[in-house]
């Protein structure tokens, strides 16, 4: 990024069509197409703009089209659908039966788009991608999958949950016939896991050309800075070649969830890296967040209405590969103390009242996407035990192994 | 920018409301508010997003509001108005009589917003800012002024055309009661003159807070990278303190326009730094652009329908402070040769057929915004003549003086 900044300057100098097109954009888009095994990709100012511009353009250009939208979809998708001016049908979050009923209610000749996400950021739930692809085929719908909270964090090359679901296949190249291959349109971000800024779509060459040619949100705006695009590409390629950061993140996630559960602090269960800690009251969630910052120097944002329903207010924690055992313990201890100080309901209290959201709901108890097998937990545990590490030290020993590998890879790539 | 990149990393790490707020955003917004002498400012991913999000939010939240929009407004403003879902009335480009007739047709109690630009990028015309402010006061309308093609290039501190119009007042601080002070909402870009990427709005604290709180395009998207915001701020501050780049750009603009006119090549007259060269035919404009690149290694984009009306196709040239006499001569010679090779109509041929757009139209022959007086042409010419420079060398001597000053300033600031 320093080199690109020095050589190409602070900005791209124009829009993609008027003097802002450059090799960094071309290379980044080629990398993104390779990542998702699509023909083509297109970079936008942000994934907010990518979602908004793409759904608005698609929805307005497909005559009489209907967009079926998951009820927990991100604001950018909701805006895009609204801006398309076309008909929208909202289906219940991750509810394939409800989606099917709604698809079945539409005439066969009507163009349909199913818009959904892979990881839902506020609850950490995972979209039923394969089942949605089945329905899309059965009812002739296009699939639009937002992988914003998954790219760089799931799959053997970091392409997201769709790739993750066929791990073995994608670990040995990206063959046809996979779940990933059945998605028509991917969107993702260059921020979050990739650490930069910007967003993109990936799909067939014809589809990407259509959006390139028709979406005002792409046409009439300056290209991202060359250094940002060079940095994003380097970041994606690093994550394509090495999955150690993803393993570290997942091991920390497991550890935090286990430690919180052990202290009777209510974690809304999910199969992802997102740790939603239920508070259930807006004022308390805000107070807990404030106390964490003031007394413990820990920044965790409270998530209140309208982002989540009233009564489901929460703190949201996302472990990174860079966290450590010490930081985890500091967080869990702080939360435990605050739960006592503010008298926030514990898991056992919720249980006495009949449980809380996401617990015991049918079909909701999903295994983590990063299974023991993918994380190599069993094999490593055996080896670590054989080396004489006591039972309660195994998680840390596993983390230490991963961190050691990551440091070695980063030394090599630096 | 290198320091910010090194210290704060490639990205901001989140949205403004969730972990992506930082001192770079705060400092940049303070600088922007100072630039436009407003209470507050707010940074977006781009000015496309700023215009879209702000007009959409404003138009949808002011009950029964009507937006009066100049017919040549940028696509981002057109989208914002469309997305607001409110009533839009288009008035003829820069036509205050038409605007007044449309304002007068609306009941007094209806909230009104006049949305317009200062420099229109495709023809280089300048919005009648003062007259529009008069009408806004008379009919109780808000003024929304896009200064995207003017910030960094007009005014004693680079705040744009609104500032430029009261040069003396603003050169000595930014007093109340000026034309700039009568504008309710400014929008501008951190790309173009400031060389980075991003956009912003500036206005009253209450207005900016309203957009901050309600615009999804601001709320649900990652913050610009810290290095980009630090770079943009440094660029704005440099241009606030020094007007030599602006003077150089204008002197080159004058020279190119003079040289093209001398060769009978049709320049659509305007008072700005934009040089629209009339071709009048889409195929010829494309061919001229292709020949310029292929045979002369000069990149000038053809501007065709729908960006301009059929029959008004053009090449668009924008001199920068970094151009030189040699580059200018190369361009003008190349255009002259291409005009002959492709048999494109010359100014004298247009004149024989009754003239062309922008020529001889009533009220359209405007003096350059950067007058002889502001550029110090008369005084400098006297001094240069006194130093024995011949008449035909005066423009270059003026440019050499400005370039020398600019190099000195840049050495100091480097």
């Amino acid at each position: 990024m320093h080199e690109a900044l020095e050589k190409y300057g602070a900005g791209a100098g124009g829009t993609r069509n008027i003097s802002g097109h450059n090799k960094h954009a071309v290379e980044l888009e080629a990398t993104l197409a390779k990542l998702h095994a699509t023909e083509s990709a297109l970079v936008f100012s942000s994934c907010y703009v990518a979602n908004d511009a793409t759904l608005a353009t698609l929805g307005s250009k497909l005559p009489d089209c209907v967009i079926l939208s998951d009820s927990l979809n991100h604001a950018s998708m909701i805006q895009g659908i609204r801006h398309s001016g076309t008909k929208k049908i909202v289906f219940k979050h991750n509810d394939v039966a409800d989606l099917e009923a709604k698809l079945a209610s539409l005439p066969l000749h009507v163009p349909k788009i199913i818009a959904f996400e892979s990881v839902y950021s506020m609850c950490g739930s995972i979209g039923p991608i394969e089942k949605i692809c089945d329905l899309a085929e059965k009812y002739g719908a296009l699939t639009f999958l937002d992988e914003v909270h998954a790219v760089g964090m799931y799959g053997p090359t970091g392409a997201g949950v769709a790739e993750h679901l066929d791990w073995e296949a994608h670990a040995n190249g990206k063959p046809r016939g996979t779940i990933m291959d059945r998605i028509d349109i991917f969107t993702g971000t260059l921020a979050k896991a990739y650490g930069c800024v910007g967003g993109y779509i990936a799909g067939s060459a014809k589809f990407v050309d259509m959006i390139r040619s028709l979406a005002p949100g792409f046409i009439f705006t300056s290209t991202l800075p060359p250094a940002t695009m060079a940095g994003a590409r380097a970041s994606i390629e690093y994550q394509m070649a090495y999955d150690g950061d993803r393993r570290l993140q997942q091991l920390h996630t497991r550890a935090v969830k286990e430690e919180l559960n052990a202290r009777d602090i209510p974690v809304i269960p999910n199969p992802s890296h997102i740790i939603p800690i239920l508070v259930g009251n807006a004022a308390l969630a805000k107070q807990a967040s404030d106390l964490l910052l003031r007394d413990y120097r820990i920044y965790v944002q409270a998530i209140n209405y309208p982002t989540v329903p009233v009564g489901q207010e929460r703190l949201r924690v996302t472990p990174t590969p860079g966290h450590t055992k010490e930081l985890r313990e500091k967080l869990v201890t702080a939360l435990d103390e605050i739960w006592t100080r503010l008298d926030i309901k514990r898991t056992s209290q919720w249980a006495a009242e009949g449980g809380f959201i996401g617990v015991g709901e049918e079909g909701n108890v999903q295994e983590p996407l990063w299974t023991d097998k993918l994380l190599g937990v069993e094999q490593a545990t055996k080896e670590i035990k054989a080396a004489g590490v006591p039972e309660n030290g195994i998680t840390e020993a596993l983390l230490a192994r991963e961190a050691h590998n990551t440091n070695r890879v980063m030394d090599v790539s630096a």
Side-chain angles (χ1 to χ4, degrees), chain A:
Chain A
M1 291 185 71
H2 284 292
E3 275 174 37
L5 179 57
E6 199 56 35
K7 186 161 177 187
Y8 300 97
T15 66
R16 281 296 284 282
N17 292 328
I18 305 183
S19 83
H21 185 66
N22 56 46
K23 70 164 190 167
H24 301 96
V26 173
E27 289 170 357
L28 175 57
E29 288 169 354
T31 300
L32 289 164
K34 196 173 154 203
L35 178 70
H36 291 288
T38 56
E39 289 173 348
S40 205
L42 194 67
V43 170
F44 295 74
S45 311
S46 68
C47 197
Y48 185 96
V49 175
N51 281 346
D52 182 1
T54 303
L55 282 168
T57 303
L58 205 56
S60 63
K61 298 298 173 189
L62 283 178
D64 303 320
C65 134
V66 175
I67 302 180
L68 297 109
S69 174
D70 188 283
S71 64
L72 291 193
N73 273 346
H74 187 256
S76 53
M77 295 163 81
I78 298 171
Q79 284 292 77
I81 297 167
R82 186 174 299 157
H83 292 159
S84 76
T86 201
K87 193 179 167 190
K88 169 168 94 163
I89 298 179
V90 176
F91 62 91
K92 284 185 206 154
H93 175 56
N94 278 356
D95 188 331
V96 284
D98 189 47
L99 172 60
E100 177 153 22
K102 278 159 181 166
L103 281 165
S105 74
L106 295 166
L108 200 62
H109 70 273
V110 166
K112 305 166 193 77
I113 302 165
I114 307 172
F116 64 117
E117 302 185 25
S118 58
V119 178
Y120 289 85
S121 69
M122 291 302 156
C123 54
S125 58
I126 303 282
I129 302 177
E130 188 169 15
K131 288 180 186 160
I132 288 180
C133 288
D134 292 343
L135 290 180
E137 264 166 42
K138 186 169 169 187
Y139 294 94
L142 290 169
T143 47
F144 178 106
L145 175 60
D146 176 313
E147 291 256 29
V148 160
H149 293 270
V151 287
M153 292 180 277
Y154 294 86
T157 75
V161 177
E163 185 195 39
H164 196 98
L165 298 172
D166 292 299
W167 184 284
E168 288 304 326
H170 292 298
N172 305 303
K174 306 208 174 186
R176 304 283 82 169
T178 59
I179 294 171
M180 191 164 91
D181 198 34
R182 297 168 71 190
I183 297 292
D184 297 300
I185 303 153
F186 295 96
T187 70
T189 182
L190 308 173
K192 304 199 188 293
Y194 296 131
C196 295
V197 82
Y200 66 88
I201 58 170
S204 72
K206 280 189 182 159
F207 161 71
V208 169
D209 270 344
M210 174 198 168
I211 302 300
R212 190 201 317 276
S213 309
L214 296 176
F218 171 80
I219 299 169
F220 297 102
T221 200
S222 294
T223 311
L224 287 173
T228 296
M229 294 193 287
R233 184 172 161 239
S235 184
I236 295 164
E237 288 185 343
Y238 172 78
Q239 294 296 342
M240 283 174 88
Y242 179 66
D243 70 0
D245 290 319
R246 303 199 267 294
R247 299 154 69 91
L248 261 177
Q249 180 183 40
Q250 294 292 330
L251 288 168
H252 279 305
T253 300
R254 285 179 169 221
V256 174
K257 286 182 176 176
E258 281 164 18
E259 289 153 15
L260 288 170
N261 284 329
R263 289 173 188 251
D264 206 19
I265 295 171
V267 177
I268 302 173
N270 68 54
S272 75
H273 61 285
I274 289 171
I275 307 181
I277 306 169
L278 185 65
V279 178
N281 175 292
L284 283 178
K286 172 77 168 63
Q287 279 178 58
S289 171
D290 290 348
L291 284 182
L292 272 172
L293 188 60
R294 198 192 69 191
D295 294 353
Y296 303 91
R297 317 298 295 162
I298 296 173
Y299 174 60
V300 175
Q301 189 79 35
I303 311 288
N304 287 347
Y305 177 86
T307 310
V308 295
V310 171
Q312 298 189 13
E313 294 82 0
R314 62 199 68 173
L315 301 178
R316 191 182 54 152
V317 172
T318 310
T320 74
H323 281 109
T324 61
K325 185 187 179 191
E326 291 67 37
L327 291 170
R328 284 199 334 257
E329 279 176 356
K330 206 181 146 200
L331 169 72
V332 173
T333 307
L335 286 169
D336 201 4
E337 288 175 15
I338 288 170
W339 246 246
T340 302
R341 284 166 71 181
L342 299 179
D343 198 19
I344 303 174
K345 248 188 256 183
R346 302 264 174 179
T347 310
S348 52
Q349 292 169 280
W350 284 105
E353 295 176 15
F356 59 85
I357 43 160
V359 175
E361 289 174 17
E362 198 189 349
N364 222 323
V365 185
Q366 294 171 280
E367 283 304 298
L369 276 178
W370 278 88
T371 59
D372 281 6
K373 189 169 162 241
L374 287 180
L375 287 173
V377 170
E378 278 173 39
Q379 183 56 30
T381 303
K382 260 186 224 160
E383 291 167 21
I384 290 164
K385 270 188 184 162
V389 174
E391 191 75 35
N392 62 6
I394 286 175
T395 302
E396 293 320 312
L398 264 168
L399 275 159
R401 271 166 67 128
E402 290 294 346
H404 177 69
N405 289 339
T406 295
N407 288 337
R408 274 177 51 207
V409 170
M410 290 181 84
D411 280 350
V412 171
S413 70

